[in-house]
Amino acid sequence: MARFLDMLQSDRQEEAAALSRGDLLAGMIVDGTPFEEWQHYRREQLHRQAMNLLGQLAERYLQQQLFDKAQWHARRQLELEPWSEPAHWQLMRALWLAGERGAALAQFQVCRQVLAAELGVEPRVDTLWLAQQIREDIYSHDPASRPATKPTLQYNLPAPLTSIVGREAELRQVQELLAHDDRRLLTITGLGGIGKTRLALAAAHAQLNAGWHEVHFIALSPVAVVTSSETLAHNMIQALEKVKPNLHPQGQAASVTLSHLWHNRRVLLVLDNCEVILSGAEWLADLLMAAPGLKILAVSRHRLNLQAEWAIPLNPLSLIPEANAALPLSPKRSYSYKSAPGPPQFQVTGHNLPGSTKSASFSTVSPWGWSWRRPVFVSTPPARSPAN
């Protein structure tokens, strides 16, 4: 294990790939829950690192037209995870490009049988498309011109009604965390109406060209508490059925459906109103384990208190200039953006700030609600002197 990690860190990918054999401490039984939990977590982490490494190498060799090496790395993935559809896809393509059309079609049948037996699902659209191309062998006279298919992005993000203002630093922070493979559960926390959902949607929209298979927004009902993992999974499926009709097979648990649906997909899920989850949030951790390509961007008034959760606390944008000193939003912009004009020629200055903020200081600028909340001034501008 130590050699494998050292080689990964030193960019000796081929040597690390050769060491990826079997599970960590396979067959070892030790009484004690803490050790078992550590072993399970560490085993899954190493397994995922090995799969990612082998997949990257197979893709690299496909691009370099080194088809024998691509086949070897794809087969190694299937030894570790026989139901890995991306590995089947890579092996089919490597065989086809090497001139082994019959073997490529046979591999497609193996893929279909394994997915049906292990997961109860059919191959994805891109795998079916590749199989059709192999059958027709359209590009057989020029293997180098055979295209690599890209998955069709599925998403259901609502269009933003306003631009995001004053949250540029927080948006960069979310994007940086999403770029890390080991940051898979992010929770934006803060008071209601502070702009959490708007920030999450901005981050999700920025990810649409980042190579995801799916990017989804699911808003849990703010008036219906969630008291079990199955209720949570059922609510999520209901929200997804608009873009995925007939998603939930009759008689199958909703939690199982989602685990199977995303087990080999790169999915970004924005889950809003998570404060209504009173019980069952731990299932989200199980879902992340079952779907290694899934990342969850949760929006909640408080943390979910799950393992490996990364909290992003969101603070109010104050209208007081001193409080906004470190923010990219100026006081003038705070008062003028989508709000009705104040008294003619009136500006907040150091002279009138104490009186102006008697009523304005309780109000915060919410990027989510610019159109429905504005500062209200109860004081009047300082009296003009006769000279002015």
Side-chain angles (χ1 to χ4, degrees):
M1 179 178 71
R3 287 182 62 198
F4 174 76
L5 294 175
D6 288 342
M7 289 175 182
L8 274 183
Q9 294 174 356
S10 60
D11 204 28
R12 295 154 63 189
Q13 294 182 323
E14 282 286 0
E15 295 177 65
L19 289 176
S20 56
R21 294 190 182 92
D23 291 330
L24 170 68
L25 303 179
M28 183 175 181
I29 300 176
V30 178
D31 291 334
T33 301
F35 177 80
E36 291 176 357
E37 291 178 352
W38 172 86
Q39 181 187 13
H40 177 73
Y41 173 76
R42 194 62 168 147
R43 176 184 294 168
E44 181 60 29
Q45 186 182 46
L46 289 171
H47 174 80
R48 190 47 43 198
Q49 287 179 318
M51 289 293 292
N52 289 341
L53 172 62
L54 291 165
Q56 291 169 12
L57 289 172
E59 193 61 35
R60 179 191 302 174
Y61 290 131
L62 279 170
Q63 304 256 343
Q64 296 173 354
Q65 299 187 31
L66 300 174
F67 303 128
D68 288 344
K69 288 189 173 183
Q71 291 176 38
W72 188 90
H73 288 86
R75 292 185 195 279
R76 286 291 296 118
Q77 293 176 73
L78 293 174
E79 290 175 12
L80 295 174
E81 197 171 285
W83 54 85
S84 172
E85 192 170 353
H88 283 285
W89 188 94
Q90 289 177 333
L91 183 53
M92 289 167 57
R93 185 167 169 75
L95 289 167
W96 180 37
L97 295 178
E100 301 179 53
R101 178 169 169 268
L105 290 174
Q107 186 60 42
F108 171 69
Q109 294 302 324
V110 171
C111 172
R112 170 170 271 172
Q113 292 168 8
V114 170
L115 291 178
E118 297 290 338
L119 304 171
V121 298
E122 279 291 309
R124 298 183 324 219
V125 173
D126 53 336
T127 305
L128 295 171
W129 189 92
L130 177 60
Q132 183 62 29
Q133 294 297 302
I134 296 172
R135 288 191 192 96
E136 297 175 1
D137 206 21
I138 295 174
Y139 300 92
S140 57
H141 300 294
D142 185 10
S145 69
R146 296 172 183 170
T149 58
K150 293 184 179 180
T152 302
L153 175 65
Q154 295 181 344
Y155 67 97
N156 69 343
L157 301 180
L161 298 178
T162 62
S163 59
I164 186 167
V165 179
R167 295 296 188 189
E168 290 82 0
E170 291 89 342
L171 182 57
R172 284 194 301 270
Q173 180 187 7
V174 175
Q175 298 288 58
E176 290 171 1
L177 289 171
L178 286 173
H180 288 271
D181 289 339
D182 58 346
R183 305 323 193 240
R184 298 182 54 211
L185 176 58
L186 313 180
T187 305
I188 301 176
T189 63
L191 300 174
I194 205 174
K196 303 184 298 296
T197 302
R198 184 65 188 86
L199 174 62
L201 283 173
H205 275 281
Q207 291 284 316
L208 289 180
N209 294 319
W212 300 97
H213 294 101
E214 303 176 35
V215 180
H216 294 303
F217 174 79
I218 296 177
L220 301 175
S221 172
V223 296
V225 296
V226 175
T227 56
S228 71
S229 59
E230 196 59 28
T231 302
L232 175 58
H234 181 73
N235 291 349
M236 291 169 62
I237 284 179
Q238 281 189 319
L240 289 172
E241 283 185 336
K242 293 180 180 179
V243 290
K244 291 179 172 289
N246 304 317
L247 174 62
H248 189 196
Q250 187 174 3
Q252 187 178 76
S255 56
V256 174
T257 297
L258 289 176
S259 297
H260 288 178
L261 176 68
W262 291 331
H263 77 281
N264 60 355
R265 307 274 286 173
R266 294 194 69 240
V267 180
L268 175 60
L269 175 64
V270 179
L271 194 57
D272 198 14
N273 298 328
C274 289
E275 61 272 3
V276 303
I277 304 175
L278 301 184
S279 180
E282 63 280 355
W283 170 73
L284 293 175
D286 295 336
L287 180 61
L288 288 168
M289 293 288 284
L294 171 66
K295 291 190 178 183
I296 297 176
L297 180 56
V299 178
S300 178
R301 297 190 182 188
H302 51 73
R303 294 187 57 170
L304 301 178
N305 293 320
L306 296 176
Q307 187 179 22
E309 179 185 16
W310 290 77
I312 307 170
L314 207 59
N315 296 316
L317 291 177
S318 172
L319 292 176
I320 304 176
E322 287 81 357
N324 277 344
L327 297 175
L329 179 64
S330 69
K332 286 184 180 179
R333 191 175 185 185
S334 300
Y335 285 117
S336 64
Y337 191 87
K338 287 195 177 179
S339 62
Q345 308 299 323
F346 176 64
Q347 292 185 353
V348 178
T349 67
H351 297 292
N352 60 31
L353 175 64
S356 300
T357 56
K358 285 180 181 177
S359 62
S361 60
F362 72 85
S363 178
T364 56
V365 178
S366 169
W368 182 250
W370 283 112
S371 60
W372 56 262
R373 189 169 185 177
R374 69 185 185 190
V376 178
F377 298 95
V378 295
S379 62
T380 58
R384 296 175 182 269
S385 64
N388 291 332

